[in-house]
Amino acid sequence: MLSVGLRKPATKARGLFTLLGPAFVAAIAYVDPGNVAANLTSGAKYGYLLVWVLVIANLMAMLIQYQSAKLGVVTGNSLPELLGARLRTGNRRAFWVQAELVAVATDLAEVVGGAIALNLLFGLPLPLAGLIVGIVSMAMLAVQNRRSQRTFEYLIMFLLLLITIGFLAGLLVRPPEPAGVFSGLLPRFQGTDTVLLAAGMLGATVMPHAIYLHSALARDRHVHARRSPAVLASVVKATRWDVVGALALAGLVNIGMLLLAASTLHGFDGVVATDSIEGAHAAIVGSLGPVIGVVFAVGLLASGLASTSVGCYAGATIMGGLLKVRIPLLTRRVVSLIPALALLSFGVDPTQALVISQVALSFGIPFALIPLLRLTGNATVMGMYRDGPALRIAAVVCVALVIALNAVLLYLTFTGRG
C-alpha cells in the first residue's frame, strides 16, 4: 500500500514535467542576439542606468506569455488562428503585413547575431557566417518537421542552457557593484539616446512573434486538457509554472548581460570601443581573459541558432493562422534568410542594425497585445478561464507602458529634444 501511495505523486510529477517546454521555446525570443546588442550597448554606454527597464520588461513578459499560452491551452487555437477567423479579409491581410514585418525584423537580428558569433570564433566573413547560420537552422527545423515538437523543445532547451552559461560566466569573474545595481532600479532616463535604448530593450524583451508563437506551442497541450475540467485545470497550472520558470531564466540572462557590460565594459578605453558586439567581445577578452571571451561567443552563437529557428517557426505560425496559407518551414527559411544576408553583404553596421530591429519590434507589440487581451478577457472564448479584474488591469497597464514609451521615443526623435 505504501508503494502505491508513493507512486501517485511520482506519476503526477512526471505528468507535470511532460507539459513543460513551450515557454522555454518562446523564452529563446527573449535571449536572442537583439537582446545582446541592446543590453550590452546600454551597459557599456550608461552603466546600470537602465536595469529597471529589464526588470519591468521581464515582469511584463511573464504576464503576456502566460496569457498567450493560456489562450492556446483553453481554446486549442493559436492567436493568429483566432484572429484569422474573426477579421475580415482586408483587415486580416493588413494585420498579417505588420506581423510579417515584425517576423522579418526578428529574423534579421537573429541571423546577424549568429554571423557575428561565427566571425568572433573563427574569423569567417559575415555573409558566409550568416549563410552557415541559415543552413544550421534549417537542420534544426527539420528536426521539428520530421520528428516531433517535443524533440525540438529539448533541443532548444539545451541551447538555452548554453546561452545562460555563455552570457553569465563573466559575472563570476567580475561581479557587479551592489550599489550600482540598486541605483539602476530607479526609473529614469538621460536624454533621447537612453529612450531609444529603452525602447530597443523593451522590444527585445517583450517580442511580438513570441506572443503569436507561444499560443501555437501551447495549443498542442489542449489535447491533454480537453479530457476533463480537472485535467484542463492541471494543464493551465503547469503552463503557469512553465512560463514563470522559463521567463525567470530569460530575465536572469538579460539582466546578467547588462550587469556584465556595466561592470566590465563601461568606461573601458572609452565607450566607443564597446558600443558594438565585436567591441564588447574585445573588451571582455581584454578585461576577463580569452576563455570568457570564447564562452561568450559560444553563447552568442547558440542564441543566434536557436532564436532564428524559433523565429522562422513563428513566422510560419503567423502566416498559417492569418492567411490560411502553409509554406514548408524550410522554404520559408530560405526566403527569410535573404534580407539578413543582403544586409551583411552591404557592410551595414551589424550591431546598430540589431538595435534598430529591436526598436521596430517594440512598435509591433501593441498589435499583438491588444487582440490577445481582448480574447483572454472574453468569456465566450475563455469560459471560466477568462481574465479576472486584477489580471485585466495589469495587462492594460503593460499595453499603456509600451505605447507611452514609443510615443515619447517618436516625440524626442522628431523634435530633437532630450
Side-chain angles (χ1 to χ4, degrees), residues 31-86:
V31 289
D32 76 350
N35 293 82
V36 179
N39 295 335
L40 290 183
T41 300
S42 173
K45 282 190 172 183
Y46 301 104
Y48 301 101
L49 178 72
L50 297 179
V51 170
W52 66 273
V53 175
L54 288 181
V55 173
I56 292 176
N58 199 65
L59 293 175
M60 290 170 57
M62 286 185 180
L63 172 62
I64 292 164
Q65 293 303 142
Y66 172 65
Q67 295 286 75
S68 177
K70 184 176 70 170
L71 181 70
V73 168
V74 173
T75 67
N77 292 288
S78 68
L79 175 59
E81 288 172 337
L82 291 169
L83 292 175
R86 285 165 169 73

Short mmCIF file of all heavy atoms in Angstrom, two decimals, residues 31-86:
data_model
loop_
_atom_site.label_atom_id
_atom_site.label_comp_id
_atom_site.label_asym_id
_atom_site.label_seq_id
_atom_site.Cartn_x
_atom_site.Cartn_y
_atom_site.Cartn_z
N VAL A 31 16.17 36.00 -25.36
CA VAL A 31 17.63 36.00 -25.19
C VAL A 31 18.31 35.87 -26.55
O VAL A 31 19.34 35.24 -26.69
CB VAL A 31 18.10 34.87 -24.24
CG1 VAL A 31 17.69 35.16 -22.81
CG2 VAL A 31 17.54 33.50 -24.67
N ASP A 32 17.72 36.52 -27.55
CA ASP A 32 18.28 36.43 -28.90
C ASP A 32 19.36 37.50 -29.08
O ASP A 32 19.59 38.32 -28.18
CB ASP A 32 17.17 36.53 -29.95
CG ASP A 32 16.65 37.94 -30.13
OD1 ASP A 32 16.99 38.83 -29.32
OD2 ASP A 32 15.89 38.17 -31.09
N PRO A 33 20.07 37.51 -30.22
CA PRO A 33 21.15 38.48 -30.41
C PRO A 33 20.71 39.94 -30.32
O PRO A 33 21.52 40.81 -29.99
CB PRO A 33 21.65 38.15 -31.83
CG PRO A 33 21.38 36.68 -31.97
CD PRO A 33 20.05 36.48 -31.29
N GLY A 34 19.42 40.22 -30.62
CA GLY A 34 18.93 41.58 -30.44
C GLY A 34 19.01 42.02 -28.99
O GLY A 34 19.35 43.17 -28.68
N ASN A 35 18.70 41.10 -28.09
CA ASN A 35 18.86 41.39 -26.66
C ASN A 35 20.32 41.67 -26.32
O ASN A 35 20.62 42.58 -25.53
CB ASN A 35 18.39 40.20 -25.82
CG ASN A 35 16.91 39.96 -25.91
OD1 ASN A 35 16.45 39.34 -26.87
ND2 ASN A 35 16.16 40.43 -24.95
N VAL A 36 21.21 40.86 -26.88
CA VAL A 36 22.63 41.02 -26.59
C VAL A 36 23.08 42.42 -27.00
O VAL A 36 23.75 43.13 -26.22
CB VAL A 36 23.47 39.96 -27.35
CG1 VAL A 36 24.96 40.16 -27.06
CG2 VAL A 36 23.03 38.56 -26.95
N ALA A 37 22.70 42.85 -28.21
CA ALA A 37 23.11 44.17 -28.70
C ALA A 37 22.54 45.28 -27.84
O ALA A 37 23.26 46.21 -27.43
CB ALA A 37 22.66 44.34 -30.15
N ALA A 38 21.24 45.22 -27.55
CA ALA A 38 20.61 46.28 -26.77
C ALA A 38 21.15 46.34 -25.35
O ALA A 38 21.44 47.42 -24.82
CB ALA A 38 19.09 46.07 -26.76
N ASN A 39 21.31 45.17 -24.73
CA ASN A 39 21.75 45.15 -23.33
C ASN A 39 23.22 45.54 -23.18
O ASN A 39 23.59 46.27 -22.25
CB ASN A 39 21.51 43.76 -22.73
CG ASN A 39 20.04 43.41 -22.65
OD1 ASN A 39 19.19 44.29 -22.60
ND2 ASN A 39 19.74 42.13 -22.67
N LEU A 40 24.07 45.02 -24.07
CA LEU A 40 25.49 45.39 -24.00
C LEU A 40 25.69 46.87 -24.29
O LEU A 40 26.50 47.54 -23.65
CB LEU A 40 26.31 44.55 -24.98
CG LEU A 40 26.46 43.06 -24.65
CD1 LEU A 40 27.36 42.39 -25.68
CD2 LEU A 40 27.03 42.85 -23.25
N THR A 41 24.95 47.39 -25.27
CA THR A 41 25.06 48.81 -25.60
C THR A 41 24.63 49.66 -24.41
O THR A 41 25.28 50.66 -24.07
CB THR A 41 24.20 49.15 -26.83
OG1 THR A 41 24.65 48.38 -27.94
CG2 THR A 41 24.31 50.63 -27.18
N SER A 42 23.54 49.26 -23.77
CA SER A 42 23.04 50.00 -22.61
C SER A 42 24.06 49.99 -21.47
O SER A 42 24.38 51.04 -20.90
CB SER A 42 21.72 49.39 -22.13
OG SER A 42 21.31 49.98 -20.92
N GLY A 43 24.57 48.81 -21.14
CA GLY A 43 25.52 48.72 -20.04
C GLY A 43 26.84 49.42 -20.34
O GLY A 43 27.43 50.07 -19.45
N ALA A 44 27.32 49.29 -21.58
CA ALA A 44 28.60 49.90 -21.94
C ALA A 44 28.52 51.42 -21.94
O ALA A 44 29.45 52.11 -21.50
CB ALA A 44 29.04 49.40 -23.31
N LYS A 45 27.41 51.97 -22.42
CA LYS A 45 27.29 53.43 -22.53
C LYS A 45 26.84 54.08 -21.22
O LYS A 45 27.33 55.15 -20.85
CB LYS A 45 26.29 53.78 -23.64
CG LYS A 45 26.86 53.67 -25.04
CD LYS A 45 25.88 54.28 -26.03
CE LYS A 45 26.49 54.38 -27.42
NZ LYS A 45 25.58 55.04 -28.39
N TYR A 46 25.87 53.44 -20.56
CA TYR A 46 25.22 54.11 -19.43
C TYR A 46 25.31 53.35 -18.11
O TYR A 46 24.61 53.67 -17.16
CB TYR A 46 23.75 54.38 -19.78
CG TYR A 46 23.61 55.24 -21.02
CD1 TYR A 46 23.23 54.67 -22.23
CD2 TYR A 46 23.89 56.60 -20.97
CE1 TYR A 46 23.12 55.46 -23.38
CE2 TYR A 46 23.79 57.39 -22.11
CZ TYR A 46 23.40 56.81 -23.30
OH TYR A 46 23.30 57.58 -24.43
N GLY A 47 26.15 52.33 -18.05
CA GLY A 47 26.32 51.61 -16.80
C GLY A 47 25.03 50.93 -16.36
O GLY A 47 24.36 50.27 -17.15
N TYR A 48 24.66 51.15 -15.10
CA TYR A 48 23.50 50.46 -14.53
C TYR A 48 22.20 51.25 -14.72
O TYR A 48 21.15 50.86 -14.19
CB TYR A 48 23.72 50.26 -13.03
CG TYR A 48 24.95 49.44 -12.70
CD1 TYR A 48 26.13 50.05 -12.28
CD2 TYR A 48 24.93 48.06 -12.80
CE1 TYR A 48 27.26 49.30 -11.98
CE2 TYR A 48 26.06 47.30 -12.50
CZ TYR A 48 27.21 47.94 -12.09
OH TYR A 48 28.34 47.20 -11.79
N LEU A 49 22.23 52.33 -15.49
CA LEU A 49 21.11 53.26 -15.58
C LEU A 49 19.78 52.59 -15.92
O LEU A 49 18.73 52.93 -15.36
CB LEU A 49 21.42 54.35 -16.62
CG LEU A 49 20.31 55.37 -16.86
CD1 LEU A 49 20.16 56.30 -15.67
CD2 LEU A 49 20.60 56.18 -18.13
N LEU A 50 19.79 51.64 -16.87
CA LEU A 50 18.54 51.09 -17.40
C LEU A 50 18.24 49.67 -16.91
O LEU A 50 17.48 48.95 -17.54
CB LEU A 50 18.59 51.10 -18.93
CG LEU A 50 18.69 52.49 -19.56
CD1 LEU A 50 18.77 52.40 -21.08
CD2 LEU A 50 17.52 53.38 -19.15
N VAL A 51 18.79 49.29 -15.77
CA VAL A 51 18.45 47.99 -15.19
C VAL A 51 16.94 47.89 -14.97
O VAL A 51 16.32 46.85 -15.19
CB VAL A 51 19.21 47.77 -13.86
CG1 VAL A 51 18.68 46.53 -13.14
CG2 VAL A 51 20.70 47.62 -14.11
N TRP A 52 16.34 48.98 -14.54
CA TRP A 52 14.90 48.99 -14.24
C TRP A 52 14.06 48.63 -15.45
O TRP A 52 12.99 48.02 -15.32
CB TRP A 52 14.48 50.35 -13.68
CG TRP A 52 14.61 51.49 -14.67
CD1 TRP A 52 15.71 52.25 -14.92
CD2 TRP A 52 13.59 51.98 -15.54
NE1 TRP A 52 15.46 53.19 -15.88
CE2 TRP A 52 14.16 53.05 -16.28
CE3 TRP A 52 12.27 51.64 -15.77
CZ2 TRP A 52 13.43 53.77 -17.23
CZ3 TRP A 52 11.53 52.34 -16.71
CH2 TRP A 52 12.12 53.40 -17.43
N VAL A 53 14.53 48.99 -16.66
CA VAL A 53 13.78 48.67 -17.87
C VAL A 53 13.67 47.16 -18.04
O VAL A 53 12.59 46.63 -18.35
CB VAL A 53 14.45 49.30 -19.11
CG1 VAL A 53 13.74 48.85 -20.40
CG2 VAL A 53 14.45 50.81 -19.01
N LEU A 54 14.77 46.44 -17.82
CA LEU A 54 14.75 44.99 -17.97
C LEU A 54 13.89 44.32 -16.90
O LEU A 54 13.21 43.32 -17.18
CB LEU A 54 16.17 44.44 -17.92
CG LEU A 54 17.05 44.73 -19.13
CD1 LEU A 54 18.43 44.10 -18.94
CD2 LEU A 54 16.41 44.23 -20.41
N VAL A 55 13.93 44.83 -15.69
CA VAL A 55 13.11 44.24 -14.61
C VAL A 55 11.63 44.37 -14.96
O VAL A 55 10.87 43.40 -14.89
CB VAL A 55 13.41 44.92 -13.27
CG1 VAL A 55 12.44 44.44 -12.19
CG2 VAL A 55 14.85 44.64 -12.84
N ILE A 56 11.21 45.57 -15.35
CA ILE A 56 9.81 45.79 -15.70
C ILE A 56 9.43 44.98 -16.93
O ILE A 56 8.36 44.35 -16.99
CB ILE A 56 9.54 47.29 -15.93
CG1 ILE A 56 9.67 48.05 -14.62
CG2 ILE A 56 8.17 47.52 -16.56
CD1 ILE A 56 9.52 49.55 -14.75
N ALA A 57 10.31 44.99 -17.94
CA ALA A 57 10.02 44.26 -19.17
C ALA A 57 9.86 42.77 -18.92
O ALA A 57 9.00 42.11 -19.52
CB ALA A 57 11.13 44.50 -20.20
N ASN A 58 10.69 42.22 -18.02
CA ASN A 58 10.59 40.78 -17.77
C ASN A 58 9.31 40.43 -17.02
O ASN A 58 8.69 39.39 -17.28
CB ASN A 58 11.81 40.31 -16.98
CG ASN A 58 12.01 38.82 -17.08
OD1 ASN A 58 12.28 38.29 -18.15
ND2 ASN A 58 11.84 38.11 -15.97
N LEU A 59 8.89 41.26 -16.08
CA LEU A 59 7.62 41.04 -15.40
C LEU A 59 6.46 41.11 -16.39
O LEU A 59 5.52 40.31 -16.33
CB LEU A 59 7.44 42.06 -14.28
CG LEU A 59 8.40 41.95 -13.09
CD1 LEU A 59 8.20 43.10 -12.12
CD2 LEU A 59 8.22 40.61 -12.38
N MET A 60 6.54 42.07 -17.30
CA MET A 60 5.52 42.17 -18.34
C MET A 60 5.51 40.93 -19.22
O MET A 60 4.46 40.40 -19.59
CB MET A 60 5.78 43.42 -19.19
CG MET A 60 5.53 44.72 -18.48
SD MET A 60 6.13 46.16 -19.40
CE MET A 60 5.24 45.98 -20.95
N ALA A 61 6.71 40.43 -19.53
CA ALA A 61 6.83 39.27 -20.40
C ALA A 61 6.18 38.04 -19.76
O ALA A 61 5.51 37.25 -20.44
CB ALA A 61 8.30 38.98 -20.72
N MET A 62 6.38 37.86 -18.45
CA MET A 62 5.76 36.73 -17.76
C MET A 62 4.24 36.78 -17.90
O MET A 62 3.58 35.77 -18.21
CB MET A 62 6.14 36.74 -16.29
CG MET A 62 7.56 36.30 -16.01
SD MET A 62 7.86 36.20 -14.22
CE MET A 62 9.58 35.67 -14.21
N LEU A 63 3.67 37.96 -17.65
CA LEU A 63 2.23 38.12 -17.74
C LEU A 63 1.73 37.85 -19.15
O LEU A 63 0.77 37.10 -19.37
CB LEU A 63 1.85 39.53 -17.29
CG LEU A 63 0.38 39.93 -17.50
CD1 LEU A 63 -0.54 39.05 -16.69
CD2 LEU A 63 0.18 41.41 -17.13
N ILE A 64 2.42 38.44 -20.12
CA ILE A 64 1.96 38.35 -21.51
C ILE A 64 2.08 36.92 -22.04
O ILE A 64 1.17 36.41 -22.70
CB ILE A 64 2.77 39.34 -22.37
CG1 ILE A 64 2.40 40.77 -22.00
CG2 ILE A 64 2.53 39.08 -23.86
CD1 ILE A 64 3.39 41.80 -22.50
N GLN A 65 3.21 36.27 -21.77
CA GLN A 65 3.39 34.91 -22.30
C GLN A 65 2.44 33.92 -21.62
O GLN A 65 1.98 32.96 -22.25
CB GLN A 65 4.83 34.46 -22.11
CG GLN A 65 5.84 35.24 -22.95
CD GLN A 65 5.56 35.21 -24.44
OE1 GLN A 65 5.74 36.20 -25.14
NE2 GLN A 65 5.12 34.09 -24.96
N TYR A 66 2.11 34.17 -20.36
CA TYR A 66 1.11 33.31 -19.71
C TYR A 66 -0.25 33.48 -20.39
O TYR A 66 -0.97 32.50 -20.62
CB TYR A 66 1.00 33.65 -18.23
CG TYR A 66 -0.15 32.94 -17.55
CD1 TYR A 66 -0.16 31.55 -17.44
CD2 TYR A 66 -1.23 33.65 -17.05
CE1 TYR A 66 -1.22 30.88 -16.84
CE2 TYR A 66 -2.29 32.99 -16.45
CZ TYR A 66 -2.28 31.61 -16.35
OH TYR A 66 -3.34 30.96 -15.77
N GLN A 67 -0.60 34.72 -20.73
CA GLN A 67 -1.86 34.97 -21.42
C GLN A 67 -1.91 34.23 -22.76
O GLN A 67 -2.92 33.61 -23.12
CB GLN A 67 -2.05 36.47 -21.65
CG GLN A 67 -2.19 37.30 -20.40
CD GLN A 67 -3.54 37.12 -19.76
OE1 GLN A 67 -3.81 36.10 -19.13
NE2 GLN A 67 -4.41 38.10 -19.91
N SER A 68 -0.81 34.31 -23.50
CA SER A 68 -0.74 33.65 -24.80
C SER A 68 -0.86 32.14 -24.67
O SER A 68 -1.61 31.48 -25.40
CB SER A 68 0.56 34.03 -25.51
OG SER A 68 0.69 33.34 -26.73
N ALA A 69 -0.10 31.58 -23.71
CA ALA A 69 -0.13 30.13 -23.52
C ALA A 69 -1.50 29.66 -23.05
O ALA A 69 -2.02 28.63 -23.51
CB ALA A 69 0.94 29.73 -22.51
N LYS A 70 -2.10 30.41 -22.13
CA LYS A 70 -3.42 30.04 -21.62
C LYS A 70 -4.45 30.04 -22.75
O LYS A 70 -5.33 29.17 -22.81
CB LYS A 70 -3.83 31.02 -20.52
CG LYS A 70 -5.16 30.67 -19.84
CD LYS A 70 -5.47 31.62 -18.70
CE LYS A 70 -5.80 33.00 -19.20
NZ LYS A 70 -6.34 33.88 -18.13
N LEU A 71 -4.34 31.02 -23.65
CA LEU A 71 -5.26 31.08 -24.79
C LEU A 71 -5.16 29.82 -25.63
O LEU A 71 -6.18 29.24 -26.02
CB LEU A 71 -4.92 32.31 -25.65
CG LEU A 71 -5.80 32.54 -26.88
CD1 LEU A 71 -7.20 32.95 -26.46
CD2 LEU A 71 -5.18 33.61 -27.78
N GLY A 72 -3.94 29.36 -25.90
CA GLY A 72 -3.76 28.15 -26.70
C GLY A 72 -4.26 26.90 -26.01
O GLY A 72 -4.90 26.04 -26.63
N VAL A 73 -4.00 26.79 -24.70
CA VAL A 73 -4.41 25.60 -23.94
C VAL A 73 -5.93 25.51 -23.85
O VAL A 73 -6.52 24.44 -24.07
CB VAL A 73 -3.79 25.63 -22.52
CG1 VAL A 73 -4.44 24.57 -21.63
CG2 VAL A 73 -2.30 25.40 -22.59
N VAL A 74 -6.58 26.62 -23.54
CA VAL A 74 -8.03 26.61 -23.30
C VAL A 74 -8.82 26.47 -24.61
O VAL A 74 -9.80 25.73 -24.66
CB VAL A 74 -8.45 27.88 -22.54
CG1 VAL A 74 -9.98 27.97 -22.44
CG2 VAL A 74 -7.83 27.90 -21.16
N THR A 75 -8.39 27.17 -25.66
CA THR A 75 -9.18 27.17 -26.90
C THR A 75 -8.75 26.11 -27.90
O THR A 75 -9.53 25.73 -28.78
CB THR A 75 -9.08 28.54 -27.59
OG1 THR A 75 -7.73 28.76 -28.04
CG2 THR A 75 -9.48 29.66 -26.65
N GLY A 76 -7.50 25.66 -27.82
CA GLY A 76 -7.00 24.73 -28.81
C GLY A 76 -6.66 25.40 -30.12
O GLY A 76 -6.47 24.74 -31.15
N ASN A 77 -6.56 26.74 -30.10
CA ASN A 77 -6.21 27.52 -31.29
C ASN A 77 -5.12 28.53 -30.94
O ASN A 77 -5.03 28.99 -29.79
CB ASN A 77 -7.43 28.27 -31.84
CG ASN A 77 -8.46 27.34 -32.41
OD1 ASN A 77 -8.28 26.76 -33.48
ND2 ASN A 77 -9.58 27.18 -31.70
N SER A 78 -4.32 28.88 -31.93
CA SER A 78 -3.31 29.91 -31.72
C SER A 78 -3.94 31.29 -31.87
O SER A 78 -5.04 31.44 -32.43
CB SER A 78 -2.17 29.75 -32.73
OG SER A 78 -2.63 30.05 -34.03
N LEU A 79 -3.23 32.31 -31.38
CA LEU A 79 -3.70 33.68 -31.55
C LEU A 79 -3.90 34.05 -33.02
O LEU A 79 -4.95 34.61 -33.38
CB LEU A 79 -2.72 34.65 -30.86
CG LEU A 79 -3.00 36.14 -31.03
CD1 LEU A 79 -4.37 36.52 -30.50
CD2 LEU A 79 -1.91 36.96 -30.30
N PRO A 80 -2.95 33.75 -33.92
CA PRO A 80 -3.19 34.05 -35.34
C PRO A 80 -4.41 33.32 -35.91
O PRO A 80 -5.16 33.89 -36.73
CB PRO A 80 -1.90 33.58 -36.03
CG PRO A 80 -0.85 33.68 -34.98
CD PRO A 80 -1.56 33.29 -33.70
N GLU A 81 -4.65 32.09 -35.49
CA GLU A 81 -5.82 31.35 -35.98
C GLU A 81 -7.12 32.00 -35.51
O GLU A 81 -8.08 32.13 -36.29
CB GLU A 81 -5.76 29.90 -35.50
CG GLU A 81 -4.70 29.06 -36.21
CD GLU A 81 -4.53 27.69 -35.57
OE1 GLU A 81 -4.86 27.53 -34.38
OE2 GLU A 81 -4.04 26.79 -36.28
N LEU A 82 -7.16 32.41 -34.26
CA LEU A 82 -8.36 33.06 -33.74
C LEU A 82 -8.62 34.40 -34.42
O LEU A 82 -9.76 34.75 -34.72
CB LEU A 82 -8.23 33.24 -32.22
CG LEU A 82 -8.27 31.95 -31.40
CD1 LEU A 82 -7.86 32.23 -29.96
CD2 LEU A 82 -9.66 31.33 -31.45
N LEU A 83 -7.54 35.14 -34.67
CA LEU A 83 -7.70 36.42 -35.38
C LEU A 83 -8.11 36.19 -36.83
O LEU A 83 -8.95 36.92 -37.37
CB LEU A 83 -6.39 37.21 -35.32
CG LEU A 83 -5.99 37.75 -33.94
CD1 LEU A 83 -4.63 38.41 -34.01
CD2 LEU A 83 -7.03 38.73 -33.44
N GLY A 84 -7.51 35.17 -37.45
CA GLY A 84 -7.85 34.87 -38.84
C GLY A 84 -9.31 34.50 -39.02
O GLY A 84 -9.91 34.79 -40.07
N ALA A 85 -9.91 33.90 -38.00
CA ALA A 85 -11.32 33.51 -38.08
C ALA A 85 -12.25 34.67 -37.79
O ALA A 85 -13.44 34.61 -38.14
CB ALA A 85 -11.59 32.38 -37.08
N ARG A 86 -11.75 35.75 -37.19
CA ARG A 86 -12.61 36.86 -36.78
C ARG A 86 -12.48 38.09 -37.66
O ARG A 86 -13.42 38.89 -37.75
CB ARG A 86 -12.29 37.25 -35.33
CG ARG A 86 -12.84 36.27 -34.32
CD ARG A 86 -12.22 36.45 -32.94
NE ARG A 86 -12.93 35.67 -31.92
CZ ARG A 86 -12.86 34.36 -31.80
NH1 ARG A 86 -12.09 33.66 -32.63
NH2 ARG A 86 -13.55 33.73 -30.86
#
